[in-house]
Amino acid sequence: MPKYQQAEKTEKCLDDERKMEMYGILDKKLECPAVDDEVLGLSSAEAAQRIETDGRNILGGKRHKGAMKIFLGQFHDVMVMILLGATAVSVLMGQYTDAVPIIAVVVINALLGFIQEYRCEKTLEKLEAMTSPTARVYRDGVLKTLPAEMLAVGDVFTLEAGDKVPADGYIISAKMLCCDESVLTGEAEPVCKRLRSDEVDFSSLNKAYMAYMGTVVTKGSGAVRVTATGRRTQMGRVSVMLDSIDEDLTPLQKKLAELGRTLAVICIVICFIVFIAGLLRGEPLFDMAMTGITVAIAAIPEGLPAAVTIALSLAVRKMLRRNALVHKLHSVETLGCATVICTDKTGTVTQNKMKVTAVSDGVGNVFDAAGLSAEIPDTIKELMVCGALCSNARVEENTRSLLKAKKNSARFTAEGDPTECAIALAAAEFGILSDAVAYTRTDEIPFDSESRSMTVICRGAGGNMVSFKKGSPDVIIGECTVVLTAAGVKPFGSAEKLAVMRVGDRFAAEGLRVLAFCRILDGNTVFLGLMGMQDPPRPEAAKAVRQCGRAGIRTVMITGDHKLTAAAIARQVGILKQGSLVLTGSELDEMSDERLAEVIENCSVFARVTPAHKLRIVRAFKAKGHICAMTGDGVNDAPAVKEADIGVSMGIQGTEVTKQAADMILLDDNFATLVNAVEDGRTIYSNIRKFVRYMISSNIGEVVTMFGGLLMGLPMVMLPVQILLLNLVTDSLPAVALGLEPPEKTVMEKMPRRENDSFFSGGLLWRMLIRGILIGICTLGTFSVLLKAGAALPLARTGALITLVLSQLIHVFECKSEEKTLFSVPFFNNSFLLFAVTASAAVLFAGIYVPVLAKIFSTAVPDIRCLAVSVGFAFLVPVLSGLVSSAKRFGRRKTFDIPAKG
């Protein structure tokens, strides 16, 4: 029977009236288990009933938008509202032929925006569900991992270091349990917890027998019985303040929103000029008002911030399929800037599949673990006994049927921490199991980063108390005063310790993780020996490190393992190169921050480091101007993970608090997954630049077309309803499709972009301006040529519409790459883009050739001459654009070739 169940059974159950008073805050009775009741916590039926009555264990938080709210939100844009107002005016004036197509286009645009935003919202909901906290809860007498929101009053949940407490409750079991309650009390010092005795105050803060929702376990372990959930918890009382906090825009969204505002001012001024000039030319007031409004709609990229969010959410969904869970969208942008990746070793660079391959007794005799016979020396037997007792892994023997089915199957299997599994399995192979030795465990001092050791207290067969300990060789060897030898216990002097340390160094140099073991009896600490465990590198790690190198990203290993072990693994995967430094935590302690800043650029491995060292390393890299990604799993890694520009938590080994502090979670704990995420981050940033280039170039072309026609004294080049058709055809699907472009082959062969680089760096703004102007000039060319050739005004407008739409759809393919031309980009690697362009062209020609639509949009069926002129001018745009680019490059080369005077 678990210790905390025994403790609870010794408590006196209170009568129903007292219990009602205790849990009055919930207005619900919490049943005390009967003395003979073996079931922990609640049954599933009881929990469901209490959740139905009290509600889920949530604080409320952000309310997600419903479908109707998302759809209505499409009409909240100022320009759309102005357009709808103008439509209402046209209806009142009896201009139904103008009103109907405008309403139709607005609704279709709203539907497209709704579909995109609804998918985005659903993606974010799924991500939020995946990153929501979990709890290990006893349900139906079985320990299960459940979403924290499914906790109910009366449940029993367990806690370990690194967990975030999921609900308020009193403590029924604790082993060195300490919690950081600063989120509630402001006190930075962790609070040590104890068992509840007969206290009945469960609604106050600062109670040592209580664990509070939202606080973090910094040390130890324990079990808690829930007394309050959701808004009835201490955290719930301040949740209203949390709900009022708005999410910040991403840096990229801020830049694009600022750009949109600037363009809006410019375009409104232009549209006002168009309106006034039209009136001076004698154009009807209503027609010019509608023209001015629709030009503004065409010119202002008001959808850019939303488009960025949609693109980011689609990228997040893609990254999730590759085992990278991003729950902070801005980190997708930041990933593209990463210059340094600080990665853990165990389980990230290595496979985290530990196996004991070598052992050494107390005097340095080395044995191959696989070559040991069943009759092992007594010294090694004592070492194995210590290892079995100092392991919390659950060992089970395979059944005979399984062994027959798989001849190569191991005799035993284990579940738990990989290191402890390796130790327990090594002992089990020689018939030494923790529950079959002559010792009974009574208590445990868990491993922590400060002591770098774990101790178990046991009762021997004769009733005497014995402690067994495992940990870092330098720690254990330093504490030992005697050593177990074949001839009995002998003094453990400096020479003997040095010999053993050399064996440990040899193990470490072979890439083995080394642990030392000792026994404490009657005040003497007896050294028992060493175990060397192999954790081979992941096969894909070396390739990922090379990929980082080509991308201009440094890979740095930070680990608590021995210096030689870390160096050996780092050398195997290519992290440690000739001339690079390997620093230990003790060496870091002797360095000033200034000295660390001097040498950190040449450091590839940091070994034997503490969480405080990790935080210092991250700050040192950031001080040198690096954009730093940092991986972590333990609770003490959380500060460094949060300090890093991109905090990364392990999904398998990571603690709850580290996952909550991180921007991204590696679901498979794999370094290669992190490198893939960097590639995805660079790709999405590149794709955002692509569709921004496309949208703004197109908008500039439309403004140049309308404004240029006015300056040239031409009739109105396109009617308002035709501009709306243009927006429908060109602005929606093609732009979103560019956000889905696959990565270019060179994306991981470029140096990282600097975080403070302008979004329009690399000549992007110049390309947008030139291309927009050329689109407008060629559209005006089509309109002018057709008019001079005697075409009717509706036919000339139709030709201009064809040129404007086709030139933009051609430009979509140019925007696929900033380095390649239209004739060298891959056309067929983005099927959605092909669909978007085909659908847009189909809508355009439907608006021309379908009689009903042609009447609505005031288009005319073009003859061969009109089509030839329109298509010819459309394809002239990329030709002229290429000539301008070539002239610019030629001029730059000539400038560089001018010899210096004198």
Side-chain angles (χ1 to χ4, degrees):
M1 183 184 297
K3 182 177 178 180
Y4 57 83
Q5 188 179 5
Q6 294 174 347
E8 190 163 51
K9 287 188 175 183
T10 60
E11 298 177 359
K12 295 179 179 179
C13 284
L14 305 174
D15 57 38
D16 287 350
E17 183 178 351
R18 185 78 172 277
K19 283 186 289 184
M20 289 290 287
E21 180 182 352
M22 286 168 55
Y23 302 102
I25 190 170
L26 292 169
D27 194 27
K28 186 166 185 69
K29 181 172 65 177
L30 176 64
E31 300 290 347
C32 283
V35 173
D36 294 328
D37 188 359
E38 296 290 337
V39 179
L40 290 169
L42 303 176
S43 67
S44 296
E46 289 174 317
Q49 183 180 5
R50 295 187 182 193
I51 291 172
E52 184 177 354
T53 302
D54 301 326
R56 290 179 179 264
N57 181 36
I58 55 177
L59 300 179
K62 178 184 175 183
R63 289 181 175 86
H64 293 283
K65 298 178 184 177
M68 182 56 67
K69 187 174 182 180
I70 293 174
F71 180 72
L72 294 177
Q74 306 304 312
F75 301 95
H76 288 176
D77 183 79
V78 175
M79 288 299 173
V80 174
M81 294 174 72
I82 292 174
L83 188 59
L84 292 175
T87 305
V89 172
S90 66
V91 170
L92 292 175
M93 296 176 63
Q95 302 291 329
Y96 300 108
T97 55
D98 289 334
V100 171
I102 294 172
I103 288 292
V105 171
V106 169
V107 171
I108 293 172
N109 265 319
L111 285 172
L112 291 173
F114 165 76
I115 292 170
Q116 294 167 2
E117 190 172 339
Y118 183 77
R119 290 184 64 188
C120 175
E121 185 75 14
K122 289 302 176 184
T123 298
L124 294 178
E125 284 183 23
K126 289 179 182 178
L127 292 177
E128 187 175 297
M130 292 189 69
T131 57
S132 62
T134 58
R136 293 180 297 278
V137 188
Y138 280 96
R139 282 283 169 82
D140 305 312
V142 178
L143 187 62
K144 301 178 180 178
T145 299
L146 299 175
E149 66 178 62
M150 300 305 295
L151 282 177
V153 173
D155 266 324
V156 173
F157 61 85
T158 64
L159 293 173
E160 294 177 357
D163 288 347
K164 185 172 283 189
V165 180
D168 286 5
Y170 64 81
I171 296 166
I172 57 178
S173 170
K175 292 181 180 177
M176 301 181 68
L177 183 64
C178 296
C179 294
D180 177 0
E181 298 182 349
S182 57
V183 67
L184 288 175
T185 65
E187 296 293 333
E189 196 68 25
V191 179
C192 293
K193 297 295 180 177
R194 62 171 176 82
L195 295 181
R196 169 200 169 223
S197 53
D198 57 356
E199 295 89 352
V200 294
D201 183 3
F202 302 144
S203 60
S204 300
L205 272 174
N206 302 312
K207 300 298 181 183
Y209 55 86
M210 290 288 295
Y212 299 104
M213 182 185 198
T215 61
V216 175
V217 179
T218 60
K219 189 176 182 180
S221 59
V224 177
R225 183 174 289 277
V226 177
T227 59
T229 59
R231 289 184 177 269
R232 298 177 180 89
T233 62
Q234 294 293 327
M235 180 66 76
R237 297 179 185 182
V238 297
S239 64
V240 175
M241 291 184 288
L242 297 177
D243 290 346
S244 65
I245 299 174
D246 294 327
E247 293 182 5
D248 290 335
L249 293 174
T250 71
L252 185 58
Q253 283 178 305
K254 290 177 182 177
K255 290 178 183 177
L256 295 177
E258 184 178 350
L259 170 70
R261 287 191 295 269
T262 303
L263 289 177
V265 173
I266 296 172
C267 293
I268 288 172
V269 170
I270 292 174
C271 294
F272 181 74
I273 295 173
V274 169
F275 175 73
I276 297 299
L279 291 181
L280 293 176
R281 288 178 50 188
E283 298 286 351
L285 173 66
F286 178 77
D287 288 350
M288 294 314 301
M290 291 297 295
T291 301
I293 291 171
T294 50
V295 168
I297 292 291
I300 300 171
E302 67 275 355
L304 272 183
V308 171
T309 301
I310 291 168
L312 288 174
S313 67
L314 293 174
V316 164
R317 189 163 57 185
K318 176 187 174 185
M319 293 167 74
L320 180 58
R321 292 196 296 266
R322 300 175 74 177
N323 289 319
L325 172 57
V326 178
H327 58 86
K328 295 182 180 178
L329 287 183
H330 74 84
S331 59
V332 178
E333 301 171 32
T334 313
L335 275 168
C337 306
T339 58
V340 172
I341 296 178
C342 298
T343 178
D344 194 10
K345 177 184 75 70
T346 305
T348 309
V349 174
T350 62
Q351 298 180 32
N352 204 22
K353 294 179 180 178
M354 308 293 288
K355 182 179 181 181
V356 175
T357 58
V359 295
S360 170
D361 62 14
V363 295
N365 295 316
V366 177
F367 302 88
D368 181 354
L372 283 171
S373 64
E375 296 298 325
I376 57 176
D378 289 342
T379 52
I380 299 299
K381 183 177 180 180
E382 286 297 313
L383 174 65
M384 294 295 178
V385 168
C386 180
L389 290 168
C390 287
S391 172
N392 290 318
R394 296 174 295 281
V395 179
E396 293 183 0
E397 187 170 9
N398 282 331
T399 61
R400 290 184 179 180
S401 58
L402 181 60
L403 287 173
K404 287 180 180 179
K406 297 181 180 180
K407 294 182 179 180
N408 295 325
S409 296
R411 182 182 168 193
F412 294 93
T413 59
E415 292 182 2
D417 176 80
T419 299
E420 296 196 341
C421 285
I423 296 170
L425 288 173
E429 289 298 328
F430 300 105
I432 299 172
L433 300 169
S434 59
D435 56 358
V437 295
Y439 299 96
T440 303
R441 281 178 53 163
T442 60
D443 208 347
E444 171 190 334
I445 302 175
F447 176 90
D448 64 60
S449 57
E450 295 179 9
S451 66
R452 288 193 289 159
S453 63
M454 169 200 183
T455 305
V456 294
I457 295 94
C458 302
R459 187 181 303 278
N464 57 323
M465 302 304 295
V466 184
S467 295
F468 293 92
K469 193 171 186 177
K470 77 169 189 288
S472 170
D474 51 341
V475 172
I476 300 297
I477 292 172
E479 293 178 359
C480 292
T481 55
V482 292
V483 58
L484 180 65
T485 70
V489 175
K490 302 288 186 181
F492 198 37
S494 299
E496 290 80 7
K497 290 183 179 182
L498 182 60
V500 172
M501 289 295 288
R502 285 174 178 165
V503 172
D505 289 346
R506 194 179 97 196
F507 285 175
E510 295 171 359
L512 303 182
R513 185 181 183 190
V514 188
L515 288 178
F517 299 79
C518 67
R519 180 181 66 202
I520 306 169
L521 178 62
D522 297 331
N524 290 322
T525 304
V526 184
F527 181 70
L528 300 177
L530 304 172
M531 289 191 193
M533 284 156 277
Q534 185 181 43
D535 182 14
R538 291 180 180 268
E540 63 274 22
K543 178 183 177 182
V545 171
R546 287 195 301 271
Q547 193 174 14
C548 283
R550 289 195 301 271
I553 303 170
R554 287 187 57 202
T555 305
V556 177
M557 180 187 288
I558 303 178
T559 179
D561 275 352
H562 192 281
K563 179 177 182 178
L564 294 176
T565 305
I569 296 296
R571 197 173 289 111
Q572 290 179 45
V573 298
I575 293 175
L576 183 62
K577 296 181 173 61
Q578 189 70 31
S580 298
L581 296 178
V582 180
L583 292 181
T584 64
S586 57
E587 290 170 332
L588 284 174
D589 289 334
E590 297 173 359
M591 283 186 180
S592 64
D593 290 340
E594 292 75 16
R595 176 58 181 161
L596 178 59
E598 291 175 8
V599 302
I600 198 165
E601 294 285 10
N602 197 36
C603 292
S604 296
V605 178
F606 295 88
R608 284 283 186 252
V609 294
T610 65
H613 292 139
K614 292 185 178 183
L615 183 60
R616 191 177 171 204
I617 292 166
V618 169
R619 287 175 174 169
F621 275 121
K622 291 179 69 176
K624 296 292 286 186
H626 286 286
I627 304 300
C628 185
M630 175 74 191
T631 69
D633 51 14
V635 58
N636 290 326
D637 291 334
V641 168
K642 196 168 185 65
E643 176 72 20
D645 298 285
I646 308 116
V648 183
S649 172
M650 301 298 105
I652 300 173
Q653 296 295 323
T655 57
E656 194 66 46
V657 67
T658 311
K659 292 177 184 177
Q660 294 295 319
D663 301 298
M664 183 171 69
I665 301 172
L666 302 183
L667 300 180
D668 57 359
D669 290 11
N670 193 338
F671 177 73
T673 300
L674 176 55
V675 178
N676 290 338
V678 172
E679 180 184 27
D680 290 333
R682 290 188 174 193
T683 299
I684 189 56
Y685 186 83
S686 174
N687 288 349
I688 290 172
R689 278 175 59 102
K690 290 173 184 176
F691 71 66
V692 168
R693 173 188 173 187
Y694 166 73
M695 292 178 74
I696 295 182
S697 296
S698 301
N699 291 344
I700 292 172
E702 294 164 23
V703 172
V704 169
T705 297
M706 299 300 294
F707 192 52
L710 183 69
L711 294 178
M712 293 169 64
L714 297 172
M716 192 183 302
V717 180
M718 279 186 289
L719 298 175
V721 71
Q722 292 170 342
I723 295 177
L724 290 171
L725 173 63
L726 175 69
N727 279 349
L728 175 64
V729 169
T730 61
D731 278 3
S732 301
L733 287 178
V736 173
L738 279 174
L740 298 176
E741 274 289 294
E744 296 184 60
K745 292 182 179 179
T746 59
V747 71
M748 289 296 283
E749 295 177 2
K750 300 175 183 177
M751 296 299 292
R753 65 179 175 87
R754 290 171 296 186
E755 194 176 26
N756 58 353
D757 277 354
S758 167
F759 179 76
F760 302 102
S761 61
L764 183 63
L765 185 59
W766 166 260
R767 284 196 293 272
M768 290 188 302
L769 287 171
I770 293 298
R771 189 51 188 264
I773 291 171
L774 290 176
I775 288 174
I777 289 174
C778 288
T779 304
L780 288 171
T782 298
F783 187 70
S784 301
V785 168
L786 290 176
L787 282 180
K788 288 183 179 180
L793 184 57
L795 186 61
R797 284 172 174 163
T798 302
L801 178 64
I802 292 172
T803 297
L804 193 51
V805 171
L806 290 185
S807 61
Q808 291 185 24
L809 295 183
I810 292 169
H811 187 45
V812 167
F813 292 98
E814 287 184 293
C815 292
K816 285 168 67 72
S817 175
E818 295 185 35
E819 301 167 352
K820 298 179 180 179
T821 66
L822 177 64
F823 306 102
S824 58
V825 295
F827 282 87
F828 304 103
N829 65 340
N830 185 347
S831 57
F832 186 63
L833 182 61
L834 294 174
F835 165 77
V837 170
T838 303
S840 297
V843 172
L844 167 66
F845 288 107
I848 296 172
Y849 288 99
V850 176
V852 175
L853 297 178
K855 184 176 181 180
I856 291 174
F857 294 111
S858 301
T859 57
V861 176
D863 54 21
I864 296 298
R865 181 188 60 177
C866 179
L867 277 177
V869 171
S870 302
V871 174
F873 270 105
F875 278 95
L876 182 60
V877 176
V879 174
L880 293 176
S881 180
L883 291 174
V884 171
S885 299
S886 298
K888 185 181 176 185
R889 286 194 296 269
F890 179 75
R892 188 185 298 118
R893 285 199 299 270
K894 293 295 287 183
T895 302
F896 292 154
D897 291 341
I898 295 175
K901 292 183 178 180

